[in-house]
């Protein structure tokens, strides 16, 4: 904040151990990213608030310790049998664990936890040490007709971690988080499902020193939840990362899988392709534990050459022209960038505030060239791969962007985005503490229906007074892309939020 300018008392201390807030807070307990002064001003202007409204947090903060939860639905004898199989220390039945491992990161769940409401909780959280432990727990639960769920990174925003019928939750990331093998000849890595993104990526980057490999490698999968999601979670939820345009989605990275099911183990073949259908891998991809528990995973890896990366940023006069440019980039057969992202006019205005570009030399230059706030649209990204390839892709993109009325504005905006790309979710709690909700919904679209979906969903969101609606696309294919709709609003009740959020989904589904 500028000197003498009021700054809200954002919370910047870790949540109390065992508290509700420690469950719904995003990311590391001791990491924070507070809204900068530009975003704070925007929030005040949008919702007709003043500094007085930010003198004190206005809703429950969830600092209370988790103590009371519904009674267990499974018999104590079942818990004892599981303890005998996996070790007593690997089975938790305390109130905190039962709530934590049945909670994701949706706005709905966070709102309920702030109010100390915890109803759809697990009966026990089990931390398997290996596939044999998973097999043993599944056998016990199957024989006793006990529901079983899988939990790894805990970053789900689809209510997928809730346990409406209680049961057992397998926490896969506690012990089953190792890299088992890097095969440089086949260019694959074999991992346990609970390995977190940063640990996997660092291991691949350090392959020469850790595995005596000739080259450094990358998995190429970087969802915004990268720091707090796992390889197994990526696959069973059909995740897509920020570099998917080049490396592919999570399903495209899979070579083989191994699952434990009540009927036994299922292993898919680890060949790069097969004409012997049906494709069993596709059956399990995206199944989220419905057919079995993932215990081993073989993935493609790629040579890691960050020194060849070429950053770019463009500004377009309109969202239509930004979309047309990205469609041509996707279909031109000239190679594609690793990261490619376009923001509509409203998101562009907010992004320039977040990145600290508003009122800078770049901003003034854009305005002087006729790219006006409220209309202009930002495109950011970078290329990947061998040096000549990366350079040629950037050259092709500049040509296509110019044809669509775009202007190159250096790679500076992209570098600003990259620096904080995994930190933006930390602001959610800051805003929510003062009754301001930020949420995101995404849908896949074809090029041919993109504008219709964009227009109708945006019209629905903006029909609600004092509501911000930011939209971007960040996963590109020759046949289409995606649309992320981010809304910022104030709701009087949880029911009001739920009705509005479901209305957005229904509009998308038309």
């Amino acid at each position: 904040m500028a000197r003498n300018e009021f700054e809200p008392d954002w919370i910047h201390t870790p949540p109390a151990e065992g508290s509700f807030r420690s469950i719904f807070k995003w990311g590391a307990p001791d990491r924070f990213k507070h809204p900068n002064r530009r975003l704070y001003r925007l929030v005040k202007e949008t919702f007709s608030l003043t500094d007085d409204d930010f003198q004190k947090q206005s809703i429950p903060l969830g600092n209370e310790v988790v103590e009371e939860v519904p009674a267990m639905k499974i018999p104590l004898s079942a818990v004892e049998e599981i303890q005998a199989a996996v070790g007593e220390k690997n089975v938790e039945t305390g109130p905190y664990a039962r709530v934590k491992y049945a909670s994701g990161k949706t706005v709905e769940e966070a709102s309920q936890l702030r109010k100390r409401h915890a109803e759809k909780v697990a009966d026990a959280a089990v931390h398997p040490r290996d596939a044999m432990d998973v097999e043993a727990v599944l056998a016990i639960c199957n024989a006793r007709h006990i529901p079983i769920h899988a939990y790894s990174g805990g970053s789900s925003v689809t209510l997928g971690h809730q346990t409406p019928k209680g049961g057992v939750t397998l926490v896969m990331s506690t012990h089953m988080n190792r890299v088992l093998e890097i095969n440089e000849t086949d260019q694959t890595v074999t991992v346990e499902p609970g390995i977190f993104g940063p640990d996997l990526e660092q291991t691949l980057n350090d392959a020469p020193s850790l595995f005596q490999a000739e080259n450094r490698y990358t998995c190429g999968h970087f969802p915004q939840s990268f720091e707090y999601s796992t390889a197994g979670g990526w696959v069973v939820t059909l995740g897509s990362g920020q570099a998917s345009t080049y490396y592919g989605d999570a399903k495209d990275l899979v070579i083989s899988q191994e699952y434990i099911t009540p009927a036994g183990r299922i292993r898919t073949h680890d060949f790069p392709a097969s004409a012997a259908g049906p494709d069993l891998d596709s059956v399990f991809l995206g199944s989220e534990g419905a057919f079995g528990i993932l215990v081993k995973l073989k993935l493609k890896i790629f040579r890691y050459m960050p020194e060849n990366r070429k950053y770019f940023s463009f500004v377009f006069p309109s969202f239509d022209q930004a979309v047309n440019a990205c469609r041509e980039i996707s279909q031109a057969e000239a190679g594609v960038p690793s990261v490619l992202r376009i923001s509509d006019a409203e998101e562009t205005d907010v992004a320039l505030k977040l990145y600290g570009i508003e009122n800078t030399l770049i901003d003034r230059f854009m305005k002087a060239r006729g790219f006006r706030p409220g209309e202009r649209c930002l495109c950011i990204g970078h290329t990947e791969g061998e040096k000549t390839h990366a350079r040629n892709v950037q050259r092709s993109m500049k040509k296509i962007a110019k044809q669509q009325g775009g202007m190159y504005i250096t790679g500076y905006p992209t570098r600003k985005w990259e620096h904080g790309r995994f930190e933006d979710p930390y602001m959610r709690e800051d805003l929510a503490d003062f009754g301001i909700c930020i949420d995101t919904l995404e849908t896949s679209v074809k090029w041919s229906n993109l504008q219709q979906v964009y227009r109708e969903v945006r019209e629905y969101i903006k029909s609600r007074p004092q509501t911000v609606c930011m939209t971007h696309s960040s996963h590109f294919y020759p046949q289409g892309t995606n649309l992320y709709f981010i809304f910022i609003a104030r709701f009087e009740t949880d029911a009001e939020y739920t009705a509005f959020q479901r209305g957005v989904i229904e509009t998308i589904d038309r």
Side-chain angles (χ1 to χ4, degrees), residues 16-178:
E17 186 175 347
S19 67
F20 286 94
R21 192 177 184 91
S22 69
I23 295 174
F24 67 76
K25 180 191 180 299
W26 174 257
D30 57 351
R31 280 179 62 188
F32 305 89
K33 180 178 180 178
H34 306 307
N36 62 26
R37 66 178 183 274
R38 299 177 185 87
L39 183 58
Y40 174 56
R41 289 172 188 158
L42 174 67
V43 167
K44 287 193 297 181
E45 292 169 5
T46 300
F47 302 114
S48 302
L49 301 174
T50 68
D51 290 340
D52 289 342
D53 295 300
F54 289 87
Q55 293 289 341
K56 184 179 180 180
Q57 283 84 0
S58 58
I59 67 172
L61 301 179
N63 289 326
E64 298 83 2
V65 172
V66 181
E67 294 179 330
E68 296 183 9
V69 293
M72 290 176 58
K73 297 181 176 68
I74 64 176
L76 180 59
S77 60
V79 175
E80 293 172 341
E81 190 175 356
I82 293 172
Q83 288 175 331
V86 305
E88 187 174 344
K89 67 179 181 180
N90 289 316
V91 181
E92 294 186 90
T93 56
Y96 181 77
R98 292 178 60 198
V99 175
K100 174 180 173 63
Y101 296 118
S103 302
K105 299 299 182 184
T106 65
V107 169
E108 289 180 51
E109 289 165 306
S111 181
Q112 291 298 303
L113 291 174
R114 283 177 178 272
K115 301 167 187 172
R116 295 179 291 172
H117 295 167
E119 299 175 355
K120 299 175 182 179
V121 301
D123 292 316
V126 178
H127 305 262
R129 298 162 295 185
D130 51 34
M132 290 185 292
D133 276 0
V134 175
E135 203 163 34
V137 174
L138 243 66
I140 294 169
C141 291
N142 188 48
R144 290 175 171 267
H145 303 287
I146 294 172
I148 192 161
H149 307 265
Y151 179 105
S152 201
S155 60
S156 170
V157 289
T158 62
L159 303 176
H161 289 315
Q162 291 188 349
T163 57
K165 296 183 179 180
V168 169
T169 294
L170 292 173
V171 185
M172 306 302 291
S173 55
T174 306
H175 302 299
M176 298 183 66
N177 53 25
R178 298 172 296 167

Side-chain angles (χ1 to χ4, degrees), residues 164-372:
K165 296 183 179 180
V168 169
T169 294
L170 292 173
V171 185
M172 306 302 291
S173 55
T174 306
H175 302 299
M176 298 183 66
N177 53 25
R178 298 172 296 167
V179 172
L180 302 176
E181 179 193 40
I182 290 180
N183 187 319
E184 193 166 23
T185 302
D186 294 342
Q187 206 159 294
T188 60
V189 62
T190 304
V191 300
E192 292 177 314
I195 187 168
F196 282 91
D199 295 329
L200 173 57
E201 188 65 17
Q202 193 62 57
T203 300
L204 293 174
N205 293 173
D206 294 340
S209 60
L210 296 176
F211 292 89
Q212 291 72 55
E214 291 185 12
N215 300 292
R216 302 174 72 195
Y217 290 95
T218 178
C219 191
H221 193 73
F222 303 99
Q224 188 161 55
S225 62
F226 172 71
E227 295 178 316
Y228 296 96
S229 59
T230 63
W234 300 340
V235 168
V236 300
T237 62
L238 290 181
S240 190
Q242 294 167 346
S244 64
T245 299
Y246 183 81
Y247 292 108
D249 298 326
K251 65 181 178 62
D252 301 312
L253 303 176
V254 174
I255 295 295
S256 66
Q257 307 168 79
E258 182 174 334
Y259 287 82
I260 305 295
T261 79
R265 294 200 186 200
I266 294 179
R267 301 184 185 92
T268 63
H269 293 298
D270 60 352
F271 301 111
S274 172
D279 183 3
L280 195 57
D281 271 311
S282 295
V283 173
F284 281 88
L285 290 170
S287 60
E288 301 197 29
F291 303 142
I293 303 298
L294 178 64
V295 295
K296 188 185 293 186
L297 186 61
K298 182 172 286 191
L299 301 170
K300 302 174 186 176
I301 55 177
F302 307 84
R303 292 190 183 183
Y304 181 57
M305 298 176 282
E307 65 278 7
N308 297 337
R309 188 171 291 159
K310 297 294 183 182
Y311 291 85
F312 59 83
S313 306
F314 301 99
V315 62
F316 290 91
S318 69
F319 192 53
D320 282 357
Q321 288 162 291
V323 167
N324 289 338
C326 287
R327 179 171 61 83
E328 180 60 21
I329 289 167
S330 303
Q331 297 176 343
E333 305 293 346
V336 293
S338 43
V339 171
L340 181 60
R341 177 182 175 122
I342 52 171
S343 298
D344 75 348
E346 190 160 359
E347 181 171 281
T348 294
D349 287 346
V350 174
L352 295 178
K353 297 178 190 295
L354 281 175
Y355 304 159
I357 295 173
E358 186 181 60
N359 297 325
T360 64
L361 182 61
I362 292 177
D363 188 17
R364 292 195 293 272
F365 181 66
M366 286 190 287
K367 291 176 181 176
R369 294 290 300 272
F371 296 94
R372 295 183 292 271

